[in-house]
Amino acid sequence: MTHDPSAMAGQPRSKIVEARRDYNTWVATETLEDYALRFTPRSFRKWPEWLVANTATGGLSFLALEAIGGSLAISYGFANSFWAITVVGTIIFLTGLPISYYAAKYHVDIDLLTRGAGFGYIGSTLTSLIYASFTFIFFALEAAVMAQALELYFHLALWIGYIVCSLVIIPLVFFGVTLINRLQLWTQPIWLALLIAPYVCILYKEPQAFSNWVHFAGTSRSGAGFDPLLFGTAATVSFALIAQIGEQVDYLRFLPDSEEIHPAKWWLAVILAGPGWILIGCAKQLGGAFLATLALAHGIGLARANEPTQMYRVGFEYVFANPETALAVTVLFVILSQVKINVTNAYAGSLAWSNFFSRLTHSHPGRVVWLVFNVAIALMMMELGVFSTLEAVLGLYSNVAIAWVGALVADLVINKPLGLSPPQIEFKRAYLYNVNPVGVGATLIASLVAMAAFLGLFGPTAKAFSAFIALGLALLLAPAIALITRGKYYIAREETLSAAEAHQCCICRQTYERQDMAFCPVYDNPICSLCCTLEASCDDICKHSQETPSGQPVDLSQAPLRRIFRDKLSPQLGQRLLRFLLVSLLLSSLVGGTLGCIYYQQVVSVPDLPAIAAQRLTATLVEAFAVFFVLISIGSWWLVLTQESRRLAQDELDKQNLQLQQEIQERQLAETQLNEKAQQLEKTLDSLRQAEDQLIQTETMAALGRLVAGIAHEINTPIGIGVTATSLLMEKTRAFSNRFARGAMRRSDLEKFLATAEQSSKMALTNLERAAELIQSFKQVAVDQSSESKRIFNVKSYLEEVLLQLSPKLKSTQYRVEIQGNAHISLYSYPGAFAQIVTNLVMNSVLHAFGPAAAGAIAFEFDQRDQQFVLIYRDDGQGIPAKNLGKIFEPFFTTKRAQGGSGLGLHIVYNLVTRKLEGKIRCDSQPGQGTQFTIELPLA
């Protein structure tokens, strides 16, 4: 669907100023970030399907599988543990298949998949917390196993081993899937060889060990036989592994598109990297049960027989005759296995916490930060002794995990085929409701009922089968709620982004594929999913105007409360109470769960604890919970009020921001109009400048024309006299020649002819020299006025030449012109401009300073002062009125327009002095006392 502005009609327009968001180096580097919180683009899916599958199966090295199998065999016997592992494995495979298919098809991680499959944008934070809990629980279990191996071989204290086993994982996960790929590829052959070798050697050297396992009773009350209640209890523990599919999906999103490779290869990779993990997982659980029975047969106590280090130590003693070698290989195998799985646990946890906190806090410091956070929580659990409470922790957790996965699978395999939910996976905040009651409701109801059953509230049978209750309820409730709500809480608004393959985010200015982009009506531009997630100021405006089919706005959190509290109490009280209950319930549950684990570890798991001590410890824990509950209640109410105050402040800020936006738009409109006017004025000014330049050029050419006319008139006299003298001489010469030819020439005729010839020649020479002088002067001045070149010229001589050209104009007047100054001063400048200045000053005086037939004086004085040439021009005419003195240099200003004044003479003088010659000019004048112009020019 392309962007249609009408689709956003009625929505508030942009009220947030676009500001570029620059992410820190960790977030901006996708080699470290691995597109956390994002759709995985085609450009990053560069690995072949077999390598992705190998990396995903590399996580199956975790020895918690053996520990779980061993614990189940010891506690419930062979039959119950075998069938629990087999049945649960089958269910995990079937639930994992649709999850893996959709994740690989749409290239999203487990959190993004959950968002679009019935949980909503904020609702999926619940599942992010469940998934994150899975990662740090199993990280703690695996690191505890590695620490036990370090204690066994290096005699390293457990608490130090916990720290070492945690810190060593961080640098391996820092560079994301790029480094994890290489690690799993290099270590996989060694790990497989070490995994298989003990079983082969045991069955070869002690075939009866298999029979001993089949008949192993452990501490089960049913012995080696089958007991439905014990089977159910064992299955509940094994069900905790169902969340492992999330870690598989975190790698599956890197698979190439199914169209790029053979369909059979693609499906094989999906199955092996996805649900196929449980095939190896079941085998390892059964192997752990087998090795636990063997460890007991070799004298290992019940308390430690479920430790993988003890199991494989016994197993490798069948491979190596030397016990020291067997111990060393055991420790190597344990460390290798735990590093392989914990890089996956830590990586998946960093993604889960990134998704969780980015939506609640609208900030994302980077996946690496949450990597450290996840490892820190796991380290704390190890120090609290999580391994000793393995069954209790996994049993309680499995009820929540199976409810989540059950609701997710129900949406994928029931709701989507039936049309109760959209066929595609939509994960972007811009198009999702915050809470979808389908997944959230099904998960909460199923998990609460299952946990109540697990705690024994519904009897021993329900307690044993609590995990199956959670799965069944989730599978039934998800389609039921979707049917009741008609699937209207999946998509909050239709997609309005154009169909282009890639778009640039208006916030971070990065380009992403269309699947990772949305159209934001607040910014009125495309925005990437991460920037949309981190946007804290928009208040989901793009979804507030959406309506239900009945035409009423959707507001899941407020509608019921409004009916209860409307017109009775404060309108905000219902919202406050709901938020208070949610926050306090969540925090109280976390504190209660933590204290419950402590109670189980310190009271329930210590059978020889005196009754009085148990009562005191129980009372202390209850009192501690009561105190914490009060503090949590106060803190929750404070958080609700603080959030409300922040929201009110944000609303006020939005209003002010909107007003500011309107003012900015008005100012921008005014600025646009001013710019248009300025452009018009600029064009007008350019036209005036062009006209001025043309007028100046015309004036210059007119002055040159007048100069030519004056010189022509001035030359006419000496030329005429010369012609007359030469004509007379020629006439006398012809008469003299005739007399000579006739022989009638006398001495007096010769003397008279010679006298006439001398006089005529002298007269002609004198006038021709005068004409040559005028022509030479005119030639130099004319060339200077039409040339732009600089040269050195003598000031006094050049002034005389210019005035000579002006003599035709001055001859008809009674003005005296004087030149005073050092005859040796020369100037390196533009002589043409200098001549134009002198000419315009003189002509200005002729036109304005003196009346008709009036006498007057014009004087030029020049001197050199501090590397400056100073020219003073004055006349003793009628002066300039004070009101006109400030206008004389303005273009087209004249008081004698009727007498031929153009108003450009002094304007040209000013421009030539200040621009061309880079000098200064000023005018001093008083009416009746003449006018003086002072010009200062640089000597060079």
Side-chain angles (χ1 to χ4, degrees):
M1 179 180 286
T2 57
H3 170 48
D4 180 11
S6 65
M8 295 299 168
Q11 293 190 14
R13 299 310 298 162
S14 176
K15 64 176 184 179
I16 303 176
V17 179
E18 289 185 15
R20 174 172 179 142
R21 178 181 286 123
D22 292 313
Y23 296 110
N24 64 49
T25 304
W26 288 346
V27 179
T29 306
E30 292 301 347
T31 306
L32 306 181
E33 193 66 7
D34 282 348
Y35 290 88
L37 316 181
R38 294 185 185 276
F39 162 83
T40 309
R42 184 188 301 270
S43 60
F44 200 71
R45 289 181 262 123
K46 57 189 177 182
W47 298 286
E49 72 282 353
W50 65 266
L51 182 58
V52 175
N54 178 75
T55 302
T57 55
L60 302 182
S61 64
F62 61 111
L63 297 180
L65 291 169
E66 284 88 336
I68 292 172
S71 297
L72 294 180
I74 293 172
S75 299
Y76 307 107
F78 167 77
N80 294 317
S81 62
F82 174 82
W83 287 111
I85 292 171
T86 303
V87 171
V88 170
T90 303
I91 293 174
I92 290 177
F93 182 89
L94 294 176
T95 56
L97 186 59
I99 294 175
S100 301
Y101 168 74
Y102 276 93
K105 178 180 179 180
Y106 290 97
H107 307 290
V108 292
D109 61 23
I110 191 65
D111 179 80
L112 303 187
L113 180 65
T114 304
R115 289 188 201 177
F119 285 80
Y121 179 71
I122 298 297
S124 62
T125 56
L126 172 65
T127 63
S128 294
L129 187 60
I130 296 172
Y131 180 45
S133 302
F134 172 83
T135 63
F136 66 68
I137 287 173
F138 276 87
F139 185 101
L141 292 174
E142 304 302 333
V145 172
M146 183 160 43
Q148 291 169 359
L150 295 178
E151 179 191 34
L152 183 64
Y153 191 80
F154 298 104
H155 307 290
L156 189 66
L158 274 178
W159 69 272
I160 298 177
Y162 294 152
I163 297 174
V164 172
C165 295
S166 300
L167 295 181
V168 73
I169 300 299
I170 294 176
L172 297 177
V173 187
F174 189 89
F175 290 97
V177 73
T178 303
L179 182 57
I180 295 175
N181 271 336
R182 298 174 184 172
L183 175 67
Q184 301 291 14
L185 181 63
W186 296 337
T187 57
Q188 198 81 327
I190 302 174
W191 174 77
L192 283 173
L194 293 177
L195 174 67
I196 297 172
Y199 296 102
V200 174
C201 293
I202 291 171
L203 294 177
Y204 175 76
K205 294 182 178 180
E206 192 176 339
Q208 68 275 16
F210 182 81
S211 177
N212 295 337
W213 171 48
V214 172
H215 296 89
F216 181 71
T219 60
S220 171
R221 65 174 182 265
S222 65
F226 181 79
D227 185 313
L229 296 183
L230 294 181
F231 158 77
T233 304
T236 299
V237 176
S238 187
F239 259 128
L241 296 171
I242 198 169
Q244 174 64 27
I245 192 63
E247 294 189 356
Q248 305 304 117
V249 163
D250 285 340
Y251 293 120
L252 272 173
R253 64 194 178 111
F254 297 110
L255 269 182
D257 287 328
S258 56
E259 297 82 6
E260 297 178 359
I261 57 177
H262 194 278
K265 292 183 178 180
W266 189 83
W267 272 105
L268 181 62
V270 169
I271 293 174
L272 289 179
W277 80 269
I278 194 60
L279 302 179
I280 301 176
C282 287
K284 290 191 68 182
Q285 288 181 80
L286 295 174
F290 172 71
L291 291 178
T293 61
L294 193 65
L296 288 171
H298 281 71
I300 306 297
L302 283 174
R304 304 195 67 184
N306 65 341
E307 294 181 3
T309 304
Q310 300 296 336
M311 296 179 186
Y312 279 98
R313 180 182 181 184
V314 172
F316 278 112
E317 286 178 352
Y318 284 84
V319 181
F320 302 99
N322 188 337
E324 294 297 327
T325 304
L327 178 59
V329 174
T330 300
V331 172
L332 173 63
F333 174 70
V334 170
I335 292 175
L336 182 63
S337 299
Q338 303 314 82
V339 168
K340 283 169 66 65
I341 178 55
N342 266 356
V343 294
T344 298
N345 283 328
Y347 177 73
S350 68
L351 295 178
W353 287 121
S354 296
N355 280 291
F356 179 78
F357 282 105
S358 64
R359 281 169 288 173
L360 296 183
T361 65
H362 296 289
S363 64
H364 181 50
R367 182 187 61 81
V368 176
V369 173
W370 300 120
L371 162 66
V372 177
F373 178 77
N374 196 56
V375 172
I377 295 178
L379 177 59
M380 181 185 69
M381 293 190 67
M382 285 185 283
E383 298 293 353
L384 291 176
V386 65
F387 198 83
S388 61
T389 59
L390 176 64
E391 287 187 39
V393 171
L394 296 182
L396 183 63
Y397 175 79
S398 65
N399 290 283
V400 180
I402 192 64
W404 160 43
V405 174
L408 177 59
V409 171
D411 189 84
L412 297 177
V413 301
I414 300 176
N415 293 354
K416 291 190 182 301
L418 294 179
L420 298 176
S421 65
Q424 78 279 7
I425 300 297
E426 180 55 72
F427 63 90
K428 296 182 283 294
R429 172 192 181 187
Y431 302 123
L432 293 177
Y433 284 105
N434 284 339
V435 177
N436 188 337
V438 175
V440 174
T443 300
L444 287 177
I445 295 172
S447 59
L448 289 175
V449 172
M451 284 191 290
F454 179 76
L455 295 175
L457 298 181
F458 304 136
T461 302
K463 178 179 181 179
F465 290 92
S466 61
F468 292 94
I469 292 174
L471 178 61
L473 279 176
L475 290 174
L476 291 174
L477 287 171
I481 297 174
L483 185 63
I484 293 172
T485 59
R486 299 179 182 178
K488 61 186 177 183
Y489 297 120
Y490 282 89
I491 304 298
R493 67 182 177 97
E494 293 298 324
E495 184 176 359
T496 56
L497 191 66
S498 65
E501 286 295 325
H503 298 267
Q504 185 185 62
C505 175
C506 63
I507 303 301
C508 65
R509 301 294 191 269
Q510 299 297 319
T511 300
Y512 297 101
E513 293 181 17
R514 186 176 186 275
Q515 293 89 330
D516 201 35
M517 300 292 295
F519 181 81
C520 178
V522 174
Y523 289 112
D524 201 27
N525 272 304
I527 186 172
C528 72
S529 61
L530 180 55
C531 287
C532 183
T533 295
L534 303 185
E535 181 56 60
S537 303
C538 69
D539 197 27
D540 287 338
I541 290 175
C542 61
K543 295 179 284 188
H544 284 179
S545 64
Q546 300 299 312
E547 297 182 347
T548 64
S550 63
Q552 297 299 322
V554 175
D555 195 341
L556 292 176
S557 63
Q558 297 182 22
L561 293 175
R562 283 181 176 174
R563 289 194 295 268
I564 297 174
F565 293 96
R566 182 173 51 199
D567 301 328
K568 294 181 180 180
L569 299 174
S570 170
Q572 289 80 26
L573 184 58
Q575 301 177 41
R576 291 173 183 169
L577 288 177
L578 179 60
R579 292 170 183 165
F580 167 75
L581 291 175
L582 290 175
V583 174
S584 58
L585 179 62
L586 176 61
L587 295 178
S588 299
S589 300
L590 291 175
V591 172
T594 303
L595 294 178
C597 291
I598 295 175
Y599 172 77
Y600 185 88
Q601 183 179 4
Q602 299 297 329
V603 178
V604 178
S605 62
V606 183
D608 56 348
L609 183 68
I612 296 177
Q615 292 175 359
R616 288 179 179 177
L617 184 56
T618 302
T620 300
L621 292 175
V622 171
E623 291 175 0
F625 179 76
V627 172
F628 278 122
F629 182 76
V630 173
L631 294 176
I632 287 171
S633 300
I634 296 173
S636 299
W637 189 248
W638 176 79
L639 285 174
V640 168
L641 294 179
T642 302
Q643 177 68 14
E644 184 175 325
S645 299
R646 190 197 68 80
R647 178 57 57 86
L648 291 174
Q650 183 65 47
D651 291 342
E652 182 63 27
L653 181 61
D654 289 343
K655 292 179 182 178
Q656 295 179 1
N657 195 14
L658 183 58
Q659 294 176 355
L660 181 60
Q661 286 284 335
Q662 293 174 348
E663 292 179 4
I664 290 175
Q665 290 177 357
E666 292 174 358
R667 293 187 180 184
Q668 288 176 342
L669 179 61
E671 183 179 354
T672 301
Q673 294 175 348
L674 286 175
N675 288 336
E676 291 176 355
K677 293 292 184 182
Q679 290 177 358
Q680 293 177 359
L681 291 175
E682 184 92 17
K683 292 179 180 178
T684 303
L685 183 58
D686 289 341
S687 299
L688 289 175
R689 286 174 178 168
Q690 292 177 2
E692 179 183 349
D693 292 340
Q694 291 176 357
L695 287 172
I696 290 173
Q697 185 68 21
T698 302
E699 181 71 14
T700 302
M701 296 306 296
L704 189 59
R706 290 193 296 269
L707 178 62
V708 171
I711 291 300
H713 181 273
E714 190 69 17
I715 292 176
N716 189 50
T717 300
I719 292 295
I721 295 173
V723 170
T724 302
T726 54
S727 298
L728 178 63
L729 180 59
M730 181 175 290
E731 182 182 347
K732 295 297 183 182
T733 302
R734 287 174 181 170
F736 181 76
S737 297
N738 290 333
R739 288 192 184 93
F740 180 76
R742 295 194 306 268
M745 184 176 63
R746 299 190 297 267
R747 181 179 179 87
S748 59
D749 292 332
L750 178 61
E751 291 176 353
K752 187 176 180 179
F753 172 76
L754 291 175
T756 301
E758 181 180 4
Q759 185 179 1
S760 297
S761 299
K762 185 176 181 180
M763 183 180 297
L765 179 61
T766 300
N767 284 277
L768 289 176
E769 287 178 348
R770 171 62 176 168
E773 182 181 356
L774 290 173
I775 291 172
Q776 181 64 33
S777 175
F778 167 74
K779 179 181 176 182
Q780 183 62 56
V781 173
V783 169
D784 287 338
Q785 288 189 339
S786 61
S787 175
E788 295 292 333
S789 61
K790 296 174 71 174
R791 67 181 179 87
I792 299 175
F793 58 91
N794 182 271
V795 175
K796 187 173 183 179
S797 300
Y798 199 71
L799 279 173
E800 291 174 348
E801 290 181 1
V802 174
L803 292 175
L804 181 61
Q805 310 309 313
L806 296 175
S807 57
K809 288 287 186 182
L810 298 176
K811 184 183 295 184
S812 59
T813 66
Q814 302 182 38
Y815 310 146
R816 302 187 315 277
V817 180
E818 299 179 357
I819 300 177
Q820 299 178 5
N822 189 341
H824 301 291
I825 293 178
S826 294
L827 191 63
Y828 179 69
S829 187
Y830 296 95
F834 187 82
Q836 185 72 45
I837 291 169
V838 172
T839 300
N840 286 11
L841 289 175
V842 172
M843 297 309 298
N844 184 70
S845 296
V846 171
L847 184 61
H848 297 282
F850 307 105
I858 296 175
F860 288 91
E861 296 181 9
F862 59 89
D863 198 1
Q864 179 178 339
R865 302 174 188 172
D866 299 328
Q867 300 301 315
Q868 291 286 321
F869 171 77
V870 180
L871 174 66
I872 298 175
Y873 171 85
R874 69 168 62 92
D875 63 51
D876 58 357
Q878 57 188 5
I880 302 173
K883 65 177 181 179
N884 296 336
L885 191 59
K887 304 177 183 179
I888 60 174
F889 295 124
E890 295 179 2
F892 311 111
F893 175 76
T894 180
T895 58
K896 295 291 183 69
R897 194 172 301 278
Q899 286 76 30
S902 64
L904 290 174
L906 291 182
H907 177 65
I908 294 173
V909 170
Y910 180 81
N911 283 342
L912 291 175
V913 171
T914 57
R915 297 181 184 178
K916 186 78 170 181
L917 303 183
E918 299 179 353
K920 300 177 183 178
I921 183 172
R922 71 174 185 272
C923 178
D924 301 305
S925 180
Q926 291 184 2
Q929 297 185 14
T931 302
Q932 176 176 304
F933 291 91
T934 303
I935 299 173
E936 298 180 3
L937 303 176
L939 287 175

